[in-house]
Amino acid sequence: MTISRRTLLKGLGAAPAAISLFSIPRYAHAAEITLRYGNNLPLSHPLNIRAKEAADRIAKETNGRVEMLIFPANQLGGDTDMLSQVRNGALTFFTPSALVIATLVPVAAINAVGFAFKDYNQVWAAMDGPVGAFVRKAIADSRLHALETMWDNGFRQMTTSGAPIQSADSMKGLKIRVPVSPISISMFSGLGAAPASLQFSEVYTALQTKVVDAQENPLPIIQVAKLYEVQSSCALTNHIWDGYWFIANGRQWAGMPADVQEVVSRAINEAGLKQREDIKTLNESVQTDLQSKGLSFNQCDTDSFRAKLREAGFYKEWKQKFGPEAWGHLESVVGTLA
Ligand code: X2X
């Protein structure tokens, strides 16, 4: 997809608002290098809070020579737009979820194989280890540079405004929003649901107007995007672990002086590690908060989901799509998948 010059300029016109929201520290001289970073999450999400810290640190450690402007909350468009912008250089950085960058780099969805990870130990062993290295290489092959540290989105859970989701049977015909992500469509079709791909920027309204009845996201997102206002129950399915790749336009990255690359990657990677901790801490309190806001919770028979996916040929299909090497890296961490 391409974006017209007009849309782009309109998007960049939002810059002053973004800057004032983030009150960038002032230096006596103008920055020599301006990095533009866009993302799809509200300001209150740990991803934006830690990215802002990274931006401050970059300005400080380069004595104002480098500034990173942050455009949060889809200010420059939805995921598909931002992916185009980081490819054509209008953005220096973008943090697509693995699900979304997979529209360009298919193997990036490998972490989203349904029910692959038991816990965070397995997640980080894979993503800081062989699986992440394999995906970063594939991202580099499409002329983008992925920083080493993946940021956390979380284990995805399902919410609905209809009857609570109890088992795979509840999925039959369910109109559920999923990201713009082939593996999500495949998984939910395999479960017998009626999935629809929508960018995150459209989710709240789509739920409110009942274009779809259900959606799936990690609890911190359900909280910061206020999805509990338009959903009534949440099934704790942990069906996919999802994270954000911090990617840069390849040409801009390669064109940065080595000392700047070093400061920028250290600031962002270390902020990413802190962001993982934030999500971990949030995970301990977020359910209680969401309950107090009216969202009810239930456990779910996840074995029935796995069985249904196996029966639908989901694992076989994706093993073939990702190829034996990527699949082998994943299984080296999580054990043999169905
Ligand atoms: O769009 C979503 O659901 C979100 C916010 O989790 C992603 O970025 C994939």
Side-chain angles (χ1 to χ4, degrees):
M1 183 187 148
T2 55
I3 44 165
S4 73
R5 212 174 156 68
R6 237 181 77 233
T7 335
L8 181 59
L9 292 175
K10 224 171 78 201
L12 296 179
I19 296 164
S20 63
L21 275 175
F22 277 96
S23 66
I24 293 214
R26 297 278 163 228
Y27 290 84
H29 49 92
E32 284 163 37
I33 300 176
T34 297
L35 313 171
R36 299 174 173 277
Y37 162 46
N39 67 63
N40 67 358
L41 292 181
L43 274 177
S44 52
H45 190 277
L47 175 129
N48 271 313
I49 293 166
R50 295 300 181 181
K52 162 72 170 83
E53 284 179 12
D56 289 347
R57 185 172 164 192
I58 290 165
K60 189 156 165 251
E61 290 185 6
T62 62
N63 194 25
R65 192 174 141 223
V66 182
E67 65 178 352
M68 180 163 86
L69 306 182
I70 306 174
F71 302 88
N74 295 301
Q75 277 184 7
L76 299 185
D79 282 330
T80 317
D81 304 304
M82 288 189 282
L83 192 55
S84 299
Q85 289 161 18
V86 76
R87 293 179 74 191
N88 70 23
L91 277 174
T92 321
F93 293 114
F94 171 41
T95 39
S97 137
L99 294 169
V100 168
I101 195 175
T103 56
L104 178 68
V105 183
V107 77
I110 182 94
N111 60 265
V113 171
F115 304 99
F117 296 111
K118 203 172 65 201
D119 56 29
Y120 270 108
N121 288 339
Q122 287 191 343
V123 166
W124 300 129
M127 304 322 291
D128 292 337
V131 177
F134 191 85
V135 172
R136 287 183 65 238
K137 165 95 180 38
I139 292 174
D141 291 342
S142 30
R143 296 203 208 95
L144 294 165
H145 173 75
L147 295 187
E148 291 79 2
T149 300
M150 203 179 188
W151 295 42
D152 195 9
N153 190 354
F155 280 93
R156 300 181 78 92
Q157 319 294 349
M158 299 181 200
T159 67
T160 176
S161 57
I165 296 165
Q166 311 276 10
S167 70
D169 284 345
S170 319
M171 302 306 289
K172 209 165 163 212
L174 183 69
K175 284 196 285 176
I176 184 166
R177 175 271 173 177
V178 297
V180 181
S181 150
I183 197 170
S184 303
I185 291 284
S186 162
M187 179 169 169
F188 283 91
S189 304
L191 289 171
S197 273
L198 291 174
Q199 304 196 81
F200 189 63
S201 47
E202 298 171 292
V203 171
Y204 187 98
T205 310
L207 292 167
Q208 191 177 35
T209 57
K210 300 273 165 74
V211 168
V212 288
D213 297 316
Q215 69 86 43
E216 43 85 55
N217 250 302
L219 299 185
I221 290 204
I222 295 167
Q223 183 185 48
V224 298
K226 300 192 189 324
L227 300 184
Y228 52 83
E229 293 178 352
V230 286
Q231 295 285 268
S232 51
S233 71
C234 177
L236 295 167
T237 50
N238 293 303
H239 55 282
I240 283 174
W241 175 81
D242 186 23
Y244 287 103
W245 284 109
F246 217 109
I247 58 165
N249 173 277
R251 203 147 28 92
Q252 283 186 38
W253 181 258
M256 266 180 226
D259 62 324
V260 171
Q261 270 187 8
E262 208 255 319
V263 169
V264 170
S265 54
R266 193 158 22 90
I268 293 176
N269 286 329
E270 289 181 15
L273 291 178
K274 290 189 187 146
Q275 189 267 357
R276 294 180 183 180
E277 287 302 309
D278 295 339
I279 296 286
K280 196 169 152 196
T281 309
L282 251 186
N283 279 338
E284 285 156 19
S285 62
V286 65
Q287 186 177 333
T288 315
D289 179 62
L290 290 170
Q291 268 161 342
S292 77
K293 292 181 158 99
L295 193 68
S296 68
F297 281 82
N298 61 276
Q299 299 296 327
C300 195
D301 170 17
T302 46
D303 285 346
S304 67
F305 284 83
R306 280 202 199 86
K308 186 89 198 240
L309 287 176
R310 237 177 269 129
E311 193 188 304
F314 173 83
Y315 293 100
K316 213 169 133 220
E317 178 187 339
W318 285 90
K319 178 177 180 175
Q320 201 178 5
K321 283 198 167 132
F322 290 132
E325 202 181 343
W327 197 264
H329 288 314
L330 180 60
E331 287 194 331
S332 76
V333 175
V334 304
T336 306
L337 285 160

